[in-house]
Amino acid sequence: MIKVENLVHRYDGDDVPVLRGINLEIKEGEYVAIIGPIGCGKTTLIKHLNALLIPTEGNVWVDGMNTRDTSLAGEIRRRVGMVFQNPDNQIVGMTVEEDVAFGPENLRLPPGEIRRRVTEALEAVGMGSYAQRHPHTLSGGEKRLVTLADILAMNPRYIALDEPTSSLDPAGREMVLTLLRGLNKQGIAMIHVTHNMDEITGADRIIVMEDGRIVLSGTPGEVFSGV
Amino acid sequence: MGNPNTSGSGMSVRGMVFSAMFAALTAVGAFIMIPIGLAPITMQTLFVHLSGALLGSRLGALSQFIYVLVGVIGLPVFHGGAGGLGVLLGPTGGYLIGFIAGGGYLTGRLVEMRKKPGFLWIAMSCVAGLILIYILGVLHLSVVADLPMTRAIAVGVVPFLIGDAIKMIAATFITSKLRGMIKL
Amino acid sequence: MGYKLGQYIPGSSLVHRLDPRVKIAAVMLVSITVLRADAFIVVAVTILLAGITFIARLSLAHLLRAVRPLVIFFALIFLVHLFFTPGAPSPLPLATYEGLYRGVLLTWRFVFLILSAAILTMTTLPSELISGLERCLRPLRPLGIPSHDVAVMVSIVLRFVPTLLQELDQIKEAQMARGADFKAGNLLARMKRVSSLVIPLIRNSILRAEEVAMGMEGRGYHRGPRTYMRELRMTPSDYIILALLVILTGLGVYRW
């Protein structure tokens, strides 16, 4: 379980906090959608879920581990995978398979195990035949799938996604959403940040953010009837 | 930014990535040309100076070290698409060492000395870096090509003076424009 | 964009299959030998190079392509020696036979340095080169050279050069659509236009670097030791070749 308690975040040099007291629990296997206007703090919030940011006030626990404890950052990041908005800047390998291997290599797994995970992760996103391709030759949708494989290769329990379908065409978007639902069925919790209402009807829970706060939280039925 | 991995001692992951990105930009600089006469000026050395002036001495020198290393293991990132250890040991190898020591380190060190370096200070820092590049380049050239110093200067400095002067101006202009953007 | 990452030419020859560390060592050793070589060693090494080229099934055209970028510089060095070396006069005014000999020897040394490195990259995948480099740098770690981080940085460079070139094209097209003409105007005007290309390119690269760093940390990257998917294993033929190389270099250096 991920537990966020009274989370306040202020970026260095800013007077006004981006997050002003967030309380949130995400259970294992849950599909949580976070929506809200641009600048409401949703991206900042999910960066806290895998210790990329440390709270200015309050606490974030991932399976009981406090993100303030820097010695736990590695384990927290293994459990909570992070998929950023622009896939191009998340791919660091010269080839697709080397990129997918990057995470497991950071976990210091033995070579055979890395190879096995890379193959599995690429198969899981349907990119098995792209292993040797260079990233700059891939389409936007293909790059997005590679970044999902990147995270899957680390065997995460949770995946936080920041606008994973922005910049994709309708077909690419449908493919990614289907993939996310499939992974969720296999037990991986999804924390899906978006500003697109159509994408979140299948979520277990919807969280509406505004101006650094959670203003509404509930099942899609509850939230949409409240709007 | 309150990042656990960057608060420790030594180089941060951000610093590493910035250095690598400027090494990549230096390679890309070979593809940006100003067409003048027979030999177009490439913007490669512009990025050499920018790496020091924008990233500072340590990361600037690191970025040029990585750039040279990528070329030395044979990838075609040097001027005109050459690559390999041969380029380092060959006639132009001294300039590459100069990129690290002059463009990366010295220029960066000088720019760092002022909290808010002015136009003139940045320009002088770049020129100082360039002079060191020339010195190392000419020394190396005269040794490996077995040339007396005057001839080494005639071959290794004179043809590049105009192009380098233009690039100094551009480097200064770009540095003063973008310096505030990088927070390392 | 026709940019190719490296000059790798796929193949399965003995040269292709050698451990990248052995190949890197070979280029280093032979380059050092040839630096002060006399005519005898230059001929010997040329024969060796021709043999390797044949075994690796590379063509003369491949080799020429590697030398082309530096041709003007080589020509300059050759001519300087040809005309400015004192000695017996030749039919050409100012030129001497001594100058011809020195010019050919020196220029060929440089060509050789380029060629031996070119054969390395033509027969080794970039990713193998990086693995080889990382292993070769490991002994330097006590000196403060972090081999793992260096390998990651080199791979980021190779990853992003093609992307930055694509971006450069996009910026250029956008500006030409707005009427910028890159081939007209005086020098200052052209310089200004180049700045208008370079500034957005750097600005985007800075934002990119921020995101790349964050993405790497998000995937558990931390400086220091990591493991690798690609394993390097020295085979008996690797050891034999390495031993031969060391002996040859020893003989070459002995002649200095």
Side-chain angles (χ1 to χ4, degrees):
Chain A
M1 188 174 74
I2 298 178
K3 197 166 172 222
V4 179
E5 195 183 74
N6 296 324
L7 171 61
V8 173
H9 189 87
R10 189 182 296 115
Y11 284 106
D12 289 345
D14 288 0
D15 301 333
V16 189
V18 185
L19 298 175
R20 327 158 162 243
I22 301 277
N23 286 288
L24 177 65
E25 276 182 19
I26 296 157
K27 294 182 201 66
E28 278 184 51
E30 208 178 0
Y31 198 124
V32 179
I34 302 179
I35 60 167
I38 291 166
C40 70
K42 28 189 213 306
T43 301
T44 306
L45 172 59
I46 61 169
K47 281 180 184 166
H48 276 279
L49 304 184
N50 81 340
L52 281 172
L53 293 174
I54 301 299
T56 311
E57 288 167 40
N59 288 294
V60 177
W61 282 280
V62 173
D63 296 337
M65 295 177 286
N66 193 319
T67 58
R68 289 178 183 278
D69 184 345
T70 52
S71 67
L72 298 173
E75 181 57 22
I76 290 172
R77 289 170 184 169
R78 191 191 68 72
R79 290 181 192 225
V80 186
M82 185 82 183
V83 176
F84 290 96
Q85 191 167 3
N86 181 356
D88 216 13
N89 294 342
Q90 214 177 156
I91 300 178
V92 293
M94 266 177 298
T95 60
V96 166
E97 68 167 19
E98 276 165 46
D99 187 62
V100 179
F102 181 79
E105 288 178 342
N106 295 336
L107 299 175
R108 298 187 208 177
L109 298 173
E113 171 69 8
I114 298 176
R115 173 65 65 188
R116 194 182 63 75
R117 287 200 186 189
V118 168
T119 311
E120 273 181 18
L122 282 174
E123 288 302 330
V125 300
M127 293 283 286
S129 58
Y130 286 68
Q132 304 298 333
R133 288 277 293 273
H134 294 295
H136 70 279
T137 65
L138 303 179
S139 71
E142 288 162 350
K143 284 179 191 166
R144 172 51 75 215
L145 293 175
V146 171
T147 62
L148 282 167
D150 287 343
I151 298 305
L152 289 177
M154 299 181 77
N155 279 349
R157 292 195 189 177
Y158 311 86
I159 301 181
L161 309 112
D162 190 2
E163 309 263 4
T165 60
S166 69
S167 79
L168 296 187
D169 59 18
R173 171 192 291 184
E174 202 37 60
M175 188 167 68
V176 167
L177 291 175
T178 309
L179 185 63
L180 294 181
R181 283 192 284 268
L183 293 171
N184 180 243
K185 285 219 173 67
Q186 292 167 30
I188 305 174
M190 294 286 162
I191 303 111
H192 180 162
V193 166
T194 179
H195 60 252
N196 191 336
M197 296 289 225
D198 329 332
E199 289 190 358
I200 54 175
T201 47
D204 297 324
R205 190 146 58 101
I206 292 176
I207 289 163
V208 185
M209 283 183 71
E210 217 178 280
D211 203 17
R213 290 194 179 87
I214 293 176
V215 291
L216 209 59
S217 168
T219 63
E222 291 165 0
V223 168
F224 286 124
S225 65
V227 170
Chain B
M1 241 180 155
N3 194 313
N5 277 11
T6 53
S7 54
S9 61
M11 178 178 52
S12 67
V13 173
R14 274 163 58 84
M16 274 178 64
V17 177
F18 269 90
S19 291
M21 202 58 86
F22 270 78
L25 282 169
T26 311
V28 169
F31 293 83
I32 309 175
M33 293 182 228
I34 308 185
I36 313 177
L38 284 175
I41 304 176
T42 82
M43 289 301 115
Q44 185 139 47
T45 48
L46 173 68
F47 287 99
V48 174
H49 293 282
L50 286 176
S51 73
L54 288 170
L55 299 182
S57 54
R58 270 187 73 214
L59 294 178
L62 178 66
S63 86
Q64 293 307 303
F65 170 75
I66 296 296
Y67 166 70
V68 171
L69 195 65
V70 171
V72 163
I73 62 172
L75 298 149
V77 294
F78 293 147
H79 176 72
L85 186 69
V87 181
L88 194 63
L89 296 173
T92 54
Y95 298 99
L96 297 176
I97 303 300
F99 287 179
I100 304 170
Y105 190 82
L106 183 61
T107 301
R109 191 91 201 91
L110 290 169
V111 171
E112 273 167 355
M113 282 167 65
R114 293 272 171 101
K115 244 208 162 87
K116 281 211 154 130
F119 207 81
L120 196 67
W121 185 264
I122 297 171
M124 293 321 289
S125 308
C126 290
V127 170
L130 179 67
I131 291 172
L132 186 55
I133 294 176
Y134 279 149
I135 292 174
L136 293 169
V138 166
L139 284 177
H140 181 93
L141 177 66
S142 87
V143 171
V144 299
D146 205 3
L147 291 169
M149 208 56 86
T150 46
R151 267 174 223 153
I153 291 171
V155 174
V157 174
V158 176
F160 307 109
L161 277 175
I162 294 179
D164 280 328
I166 296 169
K167 280 180 260 184
M168 292 294 102
I169 299 168
T172 308
F173 176 67
I174 294 169
T175 301
S176 53
K177 196 148 191 183
L178 293 181
R179 223 182 119 65
M181 198 184 164
I182 299 182
K183 293 179 206 81
L184 287 167
Chain C
M1 176 114 278
Y3 184 79
K4 243 184 95 211
L5 260 186
Q7 303 132 308
Y8 181 67
I9 295 160
S12 55
S13 72
L14 174 66
V15 186
H16 283 83
R17 280 179 285 122
L18 276 181
D19 189 291
R21 285 168 293 187
V22 174
K23 285 189 267 191
I24 291 172
V27 176
M28 300 268 175
L29 290 172
V30 180
S31 299
I32 290 163
T33 315
V34 86
L35 260 190
R36 284 187 51 191
D38 55 14
F40 175 79
I41 290 187
V42 164
V43 170
V45 162
T46 305
I47 294 169
L48 182 72
L49 199 73
I52 294 169
T53 308
F54 178 76
I55 295 170
R57 294 178 189 282
L58 298 174
S59 73
L60 200 62
H62 290 135
L63 297 188
L64 287 177
R65 207 163 51 204
V67 182
R68 205 172 47 198
L70 287 164
V71 154
I72 297 177
F73 214 88
F74 290 153
L76 242 127
I77 290 171
F78 173 73
L79 292 175
V80 166
H81 282 291
L82 178 64
F83 288 115
F84 293 102
T85 308
S90 72
L92 216 62
L94 279 177
T96 59
Y97 285 112
E98 279 80 358
L100 183 66
Y101 174 77
R102 263 165 60 115
V104 168
L105 191 66
L106 272 161
T107 313
W108 180 240
R109 270 190 210 163
F110 290 137
V111 172
F112 176 83
L113 289 174
I114 300 290
L115 288 183
S116 56
I119 293 174
L120 168 67
T121 30
M122 285 174 186
T123 60
T124 317
L125 276 168
S127 46
E128 284 196 324
L129 274 175
I130 294 183
S131 305
L133 176 79
E134 194 274 319
R135 279 5 173 249
C136 290
L137 288 176
R138 273 187 199 180
L140 299 179
R141 258 190 268 167
L143 299 176
I145 295 182
S147 62
H148 294 287
D149 302 327
V150 167
V152 167
M153 282 189 275
V154 169
S155 116
I156 292 175
V157 174
L158 298 183
R159 153 73 181 91
F160 282 103
V161 166
T163 303
L164 295 182
L165 283 171
Q166 286 172 346
E167 193 165 301
L168 183 67
D169 274 356
Q170 284 164 12
I171 297 171
K172 211 176 197 167
E173 273 167 32
Q175 302 206 342
M176 285 191 340
R178 276 190 263 143
D181 180 358
F182 286 91
K183 290 208 167 85
N186 61 20
L187 201 59
L188 197 73
R190 289 184 195 186
M191 193 65 231
K192 265 196 180 143
R193 248 166 267 128
V194 167
S195 294
S196 71
L197 281 186
V198 168
I199 289 177
L201 183 69
I202 297 178
R203 188 170 280 152
N204 290 352
S205 300
I206 291 169
L207 299 175
R208 209 181 262 285
E210 307 257 7
E211 282 187 25
V212 171
M214 186 147 276
M216 284 167 64
E217 290 188 313
R219 284 160 77 188
Y221 181 76
H222 44 83
R223 297 192 45 220
R226 50 208 297 273
T227 53
Y228 293 90
M229 176 167 72
R230 182 184 305 274
E231 287 180 284
L232 297 181
R233 280 221 184 81
M234 296 277 282
T235 61
S237 57
D238 285 313
Y239 284 112
I240 293 168
I241 304 260
L242 189 62
L244 279 174
L245 270 164
V246 171
I247 293 168
L248 283 174
T249 310
L251 288 175
V253 171
Y254 180 72
R255 274 186 64 95
W256 274 9

